[in-house]
Amino acid sequence: MEKFLVISEVSKKQNYIFKTNKLKENIGASNIIEYVTENVPRYIGKKYSLKLGDVSVGGGNSIFLLQTEEDAIKFIKEVTKEVLCKFAGVEFFMTYEKYDEENDLIIDVIDLLYKKLNDKKSERKSVFKRKSYGIEERCVTTEQAACKREEGTPLSRETLIKRKWSEKEFLKNLKSEKMPYSIETLMNKYLKQGYSFTNETEKLGIRKGENRYIGIVTLDGNKMGQKIQKMRNRTMEQYKHSNIKDANKEYINKSNEFSTNIKKYYFESFEYMIDKVVKNYDKLKDKLNLLKDEDGNMILPIRPIILAGDDVCFICNAQIAMECVNAFVTNLNKYKIEGETLNACAGISIMKSNYPFDRGCEIAEVLCKNCKSKIVDTEDASLVDYHICEGEIATSVSEIRTRTHIGKSINLNIKPLYINSKVFNSYENFKEEYRKIEIISSESKGKIRKLRDIFPKGKDDTKIFMNKYKISNNFNGKFGNIQSDFGFTRIDDKDTCLYFDLIEFQDMLITLED
């Protein structure tokens, strides 16, 4: 029987969300993408009584099954009209392909569907857009023509919509189908417990005049493409032993189960992470400037921005960023997909609250990719990398580290760190040594901080300095499962400093108890 597969995709999601330095607008943009991906297709399906079947939904990309070509065309027309008319700035694409469930292999049709979508995206007619005619006032965030002023600030239609979609009251009154694994579901859960999330970076527990750093965290699942391919291969095997129609139905069921489980496992891991912050709220209250909102709810020092399957982004107080990632990954490791433990990599951009937000997100993405580059093909692992942004003008993290962290004969960088691993540069070993450094620093903080300037000079200069100030015993011994010699060890025939990252990270870590 002839049916039709329809694919939809929100393109350039990161650019749409993070093109502005205002957290309120980032959150509104994320809410819009979640609504466009999850809610709009279902709303249109019900409105026009279309028999809509899910093949896979979520993460900005969805595939639906419709019964007739007329329905497919109607569906595409009404969904795109709804998105493009209501949400300025969103790049949205749809296309469809004929599918005979009794004769066509659905895997082949989906491949063809993606090819058509990519061809369509490459033929964009509006790559270059006129932002203004030169006579209008410009929006402060998009540089598009402003259509309204708010508190004296000129804003474009795109910015106004993003801000509107970040408002709690607007979202509460929004008539939409409630998705079980959404940020809204998360917010409602903690609101019932007396906790809320903020739309302002200054309310993430930052103390005025002190440590004003926030952390932008990008987290992405490992080897998801391989897991999907494994599922596809199993379906191909099934084609050999059963009729095509039954095998196609099985693939659709498995595909839906796969995407639902990914959403569920990542959502529950995010939930576990927030629960840990809540359990430590009293401890954090003594160390951070935690506030209450206008309704008297306690504001959490963390705020989800993207929660789309294995694509996760959140912002938090920098001092809990590493512990939050560790909690998330530890819970994620409990789950399996296609018989394999779920692992993820994370990049943390640590920056002052007034640092350009889009630049911070870009750095977090690069750090996440750096973690993934360390994974051996035959083995999977979870890693985290971080960078403290100090206003560098370099174009990449690797360029910054080449200049400041890695000399010709000395490597000062042991990042990325492995989570739940027995290697020497694991987060567990990092945290253990961090505790030791904190104890030493309580008596001689100035000398410990001075090591940040001494380590790059090499092991011999470090040895002289440590012996002079009688602190060498603290840096001679075991660092995990390797020997530390005045804070150095030999890795790949190169002196590698084990403690430079730790000294640099001082005052950036508050441990969260289980």
Side-chain angles (χ1 to χ4, degrees):
M1 182 179 175
E2 191 177 85
K3 295 183 180 181
F4 291 83
L5 292 178
V6 175
I7 189 169
S8 68
E9 181 176 293
V10 178
S11 184
K12 297 185 178 179
K13 298 186 292 295
Q14 298 287 339
N15 179 61
Y16 179 71
I17 294 171
F18 297 118
K19 69 167 64 171
T20 168
N21 205 32
K22 302 290 183 184
L23 179 59
K24 183 187 292 187
E25 292 167 25
N26 304 140
I27 290 165
S30 177
N31 289 338
I32 287 169
I33 287 178
E34 186 176 73
Y35 178 77
V36 164
T37 305
E38 303 276 358
N39 291 87
V40 171
R42 289 180 173 81
Y43 163 71
I44 295 298
K46 287 181 180 177
K47 183 177 179 180
Y48 294 97
S49 301
L50 301 174
K51 192 175 179 183
L52 193 66
D54 293 347
V55 176
S56 64
V57 180
N61 182 302
S62 303
I63 299 175
F64 303 97
L65 180 67
L66 286 106
Q67 303 302 306
T68 67
E69 186 171 20
E70 184 182 355
D71 285 351
I73 293 170
K74 179 75 173 176
F75 180 67
I76 291 172
K77 179 182 175 182
E78 297 302 328
V79 170
T80 51
K81 186 166 75 173
E82 180 79 9
V83 173
L84 299 179
C85 289
K86 290 188 177 179
F87 304 111
V90 173
E91 286 202 20
F92 190 70
F93 295 89
M94 295 185 80
T95 190
Y96 74 98
E97 182 61 40
K98 182 177 70 174
Y99 159 60
D100 186 336
E101 63 180 357
E102 294 180 352
N103 297 302
D104 296 332
L105 306 185
I106 193 169
I107 292 175
D108 293 341
V109 179
I110 288 173
D111 288 342
L112 183 58
L113 201 58
Y114 274 107
K115 184 181 182 305
K116 286 182 72 173
L117 183 72
N118 289 330
D119 290 344
K120 196 169 189 178
K121 284 159 63 178
S122 67
E123 293 172 359
R124 287 183 178 96
K125 294 181 180 179
S126 53
V127 173
F128 300 100
K129 298 177 182 177
R130 179 186 285 120
K131 290 185 176 181
S132 166
Y133 285 94
I135 58 173
E136 311 94 335
E137 195 166 19
R138 297 280 190 93
C139 171
V140 293
T141 58
T142 64
E143 293 191 353
Q144 296 170 357
C147 64
K148 187 179 178 181
R149 276 180 169 272
E150 275 193 0
E151 298 177 357
T153 304
L155 302 174
S156 66
R157 181 165 165 259
E158 179 180 331
T159 302
L160 285 167
I161 291 167
K162 287 178 179 177
R163 291 191 175 192
K164 183 179 180 182
W165 275 76
S166 72
E167 295 169 4
K168 294 176 185 175
E169 200 60 34
F170 171 78
L171 294 172
K172 191 166 71 176
N173 297 325
L174 184 68
K175 293 180 180 178
S176 64
E177 189 176 340
K178 305 301 179 187
M179 296 294 111
Y181 307 119
S182 65
I183 291 174
E184 184 186 2
T185 302
L186 203 67
M187 292 174 72
N188 289 336
K189 174 191 169 177
Y190 291 101
L191 196 59
K192 290 174 183 175
Q193 299 176 24
Y195 296 95
S196 67
F197 297 99
T198 183
N199 288 352
E200 301 172 50
T201 54
E202 297 298 326
K203 293 182 180 179
L204 289 168
I206 296 170
R207 290 187 184 275
K208 291 184 178 179
E210 295 183 29
N211 190 326
R212 296 180 58 81
Y213 286 88
I214 58 172
I216 297 179
V217 180
T218 294
L219 195 144
D220 192 33
N222 293 356
K223 300 188 175 184
M224 297 307 294
Q226 289 184 23
K227 291 178 176 65
I228 292 170
Q229 187 59 48
K230 194 173 179 181
M231 181 180 68
R232 286 166 62 101
N233 291 343
R234 201 167 59 246
T235 303
M236 291 300 290
E237 280 297 312
Q238 196 168 349
Y239 285 135
K240 299 175 184 177
H241 307 292
S242 60
N243 64 61
I244 289 176
K245 183 177 180 180
D246 289 343
N248 284 337
K249 283 184 178 179
E250 180 66 14
Y251 178 81
I252 292 173
N253 292 336
K254 288 294 182 184
S255 180
N256 267 314
E257 182 185 346
F258 183 94
S259 57
T260 300
N261 283 340
I262 289 295
K263 288 179 194 174
K264 180 176 184 287
Y265 298 155
Y266 275 77
F267 180 87
E268 288 178 355
S269 297
F270 203 101
E271 217 172 17
Y272 176 84
M273 177 182 71
I274 301 290
D275 285 342
K276 197 164 187 176
V277 174
V278 168
K279 286 176 187 174
N280 286 267
Y281 196 86
D282 288 339
K283 176 183 178 179
L284 293 172
K285 218 164 29 174
D286 295 334
K287 298 176 180 289
L288 305 177
N289 182 31
L290 298 181
L291 306 172
K292 291 187 177 182
D293 65 17
E294 60 275 10
D295 298 319
N297 298 302
M298 293 171 280
I299 298 175
L300 293 167
I302 183 169
R303 201 346 170 150
I305 298 176
I306 299 174
L307 193 50
D310 72 317
D311 185 9
V312 174
C313 178
F314 61 91
I315 182 172
C316 62
N317 188 288
Q319 291 175 277
I320 64 169
M322 289 283 275
E323 284 286 81
C324 283
V325 169
N326 185 53
F328 186 104
V329 171
T330 297
N331 192 75
L332 188 67
N333 288 162
K334 296 176 184 177
Y335 303 114
K336 289 189 175 184
I337 288 280
E338 293 298 314
E340 297 177 15
T341 299
L342 285 178
N343 282 288
C345 288
I348 306 174
S349 179
I350 297 172
M351 61 191 202
K352 289 189 176 177
S353 55
N354 60 352
Y355 192 86
F357 208 88
D358 55 346
R359 173 66 178 142
C361 293
E362 182 185 338
I363 289 171
E365 287 278 346
V366 170
L367 292 168
C368 187
K369 288 177 183 175
N370 184 45
C371 290
K372 286 178 176 282
S373 70
K374 306 297 180 184
I375 298 171
V376 182
D377 289 339
T378 54
E379 296 180 16
D380 199 1
S382 294
L383 296 93
V384 58
D385 197 357
Y386 68 85
H387 178 69
I388 301 172
C389 305
E390 298 289 2
E392 306 94 342
I393 58 172
T395 55
S396 69
V397 173
S398 61
E399 184 181 339
I400 295 166
R401 287 180 177 171
T402 299
R403 289 179 181 176
T404 60
H405 285 202
I406 303 173
K408 291 180 180 178
S409 60
I410 304 168
N411 187 353
L412 298 177
N413 180 26
I414 63 168
K415 299 173 290 190
L417 305 173
Y418 287 76
I419 298 175
N420 299 328
S421 175
K422 296 185 184 301
V423 296
F424 83 92
N425 57 334
S426 68
Y427 175 63
E428 290 75 13
N429 290 337
F430 181 91
K431 189 161 67 169
E432 182 60 32
E433 294 301 320
Y434 182 89
R435 289 194 187 102
K436 293 178 185 177
I437 295 294
E438 288 286 280
I439 293 169
I440 303 165
S441 295
S442 64
E443 298 175 358
S444 51
K445 193 164 189 173
K447 294 169 189 171
I448 298 301
R449 283 198 178 279
K450 183 68 176 172
L451 283 170
R452 195 176 186 278
D453 300 321
I454 300 297
F455 280 137
K457 295 179 181 180
K459 183 178 172 181
D460 292 339
D461 283 49
T462 301
K463 182 178 179 179
I464 294 169
F465 179 87
M466 287 183 176
N467 286 335
K468 178 181 178 180
Y469 291 104
K470 299 178 180 179
I471 58 173
S472 58
N473 287 343
N474 299 299
F475 298 91
N476 288 329
K478 285 288 185 180
F479 188 111
N481 56 2
I482 64 170
Q483 183 67 35
S484 170
D485 188 17
F486 294 96
F488 284 84
T489 193
R490 293 289 290 180
I491 297 176
D492 297 330
D493 292 326
K494 200 173 189 181
D495 276 343
T496 299
C497 183
L498 300 168
Y499 289 89
F500 184 87
D501 291 328
L502 283 158
I503 305 298
E504 182 185 50
F505 206 66
Q506 270 194 296
D507 302 324
M508 288 289 182
L509 179 63
I510 298 174
T511 56
L512 301 179
E513 308 301 327
D514 288 327

